[in-house]
Amino acid sequence: MVIEITDFSDPNLDVYARLTEAQLLNRFEPAKAMFIAESPKVIHRALDAGYQPVSLLMERKDIDGSAREVIARCGDIPVFTADENLLAQLTGYHLTRGVLCAMRRPPLPLAADIAKNARRIAVLENVMNPTNVGAIFRSAAALGMDAVLLTPGCSDPLYRRSARVSMGTVFQIPWTFFPEDIPSWPAFLQELGFKTAALALTDDSVSIDDPQLAAESRLALALGSEGDGLSDDTIAACDYTVKIPMFHRVDSLNVAAASAVAFWELRNK
């Protein structure tokens, strides 16, 4: 059902124009929670994973173009449309891939259930930049991680920018947040049979290519926040502290770049 936008105040457009990411998350009424998927590729991957579309917003030219297959897959939902400049006024930004889809958020699985059948887990501790979260998810999915677990201080992987930067891999790899009330996530995973490895520069760090690390049957690799890295308590609680050897007096990599190196080196082989 194609609807030409004539009224910016239409409440059906709130999800695109007036609700923040936090409001879409809707912690107090999770059954009503939504998120925005951007670009046909990301939307297709969300649909493949069983996510439920609510409405679409797109440029007029995309209805019979790049979004045609998306529309066909979404069934009888509203398709709001206008030209590029009008949509930019509505959303506050230019649609880089021309198509947005409002989707229902399903309930998150339990961290223990996510970890149950995994051998390699990526752990994000307070990684707050949505672009970094999305890039880490893309690397985790591509480079052999079985799941991603996040501390409550992380940016949500379903935020529009995170999902777009991930190229939709947030819908392809299992993930969830740790419960807010666990005192120590390393202890939580150690009780489930994992060895934990903190990616950090300390005097007792072992190299990322240490054979003992690769030999661990179940390993959780932790990456910390963009500024401060992992907390001292986390580093102390982990079984290993791991570093990526550096050259030319460079002391560290961006967390997303570091994740790609670490995931490749410690993937299931």
Side-chain angles (χ1 to χ4, degrees):
M1 178 173 58
V2 176
I3 302 172
E4 187 77 21
I5 296 172
T6 58
D7 181 7
F8 275 19
S9 65
D10 184 343
N12 290 307
L13 298 174
D14 287 351
V15 63
Y16 302 107
R18 286 172 286 278
L19 297 182
T20 65
E21 299 272 22
Q23 288 171 320
L24 288 172
L25 184 54
N26 205 343
R27 294 183 187 276
F28 297 108
E29 294 184 275
K32 297 180 180 179
M34 290 193 286
F35 67 95
I36 301 295
E38 180 180 0
S39 87
K41 181 182 287 291
V42 172
I43 296 167
H44 276 302
R45 287 182 170 168
L47 294 171
D48 290 344
Y51 286 75
Q52 178 187 352
V54 176
S55 66
L56 289 157
L57 179 74
M58 66 187 64
E59 293 180 42
R60 198 178 294 108
K61 66 181 178 62
D62 290 314
I63 292 174
D64 294 316
S66 62
R68 181 174 55 190
E69 292 182 8
V70 168
I71 294 171
R73 292 189 65 184
C74 285
D76 189 22
I77 64 171
V79 178
F80 296 103
T81 187
D83 62 32
E84 180 182 5
N85 290 332
L86 192 64
L87 292 182
Q89 293 177 46
L90 177 70
T91 62
Y93 55 88
H94 283 276
L95 277 63
T96 58
R97 294 293 183 271
V99 184
L100 300 179
C101 184
M103 302 187 117
R104 298 283 182 201
R105 277 181 177 264
L108 286 175
L110 298 175
D113 291 340
I114 288 287
K116 182 168 56 177
N117 296 317
R119 292 183 58 209
R120 291 291 185 267
I121 288 179
V123 176
L124 307 189
E125 182 178 275
N126 301 333
V127 178
M128 293 173 282
N129 185 304
T131 298
N132 282 336
V133 170
I136 292 169
F137 263 81
R138 189 174 183 182
S139 293
L143 301 176
M145 295 295 105
D146 298 314
V148 180
L149 294 176
L150 306 95
T151 64
C154 286
S155 179
D156 193 290
L158 292 186
Y159 283 173
R160 179 184 63 85
R161 185 179 294 275
S162 292
R164 177 168 61 82
V165 171
S166 83
M167 295 297 290
T169 55
V170 294
F171 309 114
Q172 295 177 297
I173 185 168
W175 65 272
T176 196
F177 285 92
F178 286 109
E180 294 192 9
D181 57 354
I182 63 168
S184 166
W185 70 255
F188 177 89
L189 288 178
Q190 287 158 354
E191 289 177 5
L192 295 175
F194 284 87
K195 293 294 186 179
T196 53
L199 203 65
L201 295 173
T202 65
D203 292 338
D204 60 348
S205 295
V206 299
S207 177
I208 193 73
D209 59 359
D210 188 298
Q212 188 173 347
L213 272 174
E216 295 290 358
S217 60
R218 306 187 83 192
L219 185 67
L221 183 64
L223 299 119
S225 67
E226 294 84 353
D228 299 327
L230 294 165
S231 71
D232 291 340
D233 288 344
T234 290
I235 295 171
C238 283
D239 300 292
Y240 298 95
T241 307
V242 182
K243 65 181 177 183
I244 298 172
M246 301 283 167
F247 299 89
H248 299 292
R249 297 189 298 277
V250 177
D251 60 358
S252 64
L253 295 173
N254 165 272
V255 65
S259 75
V261 175
F263 297 162
W264 171 253
E265 184 64 40
L266 296 174
R267 70 196 185 281
N268 289 318
K269 297 177 184 177

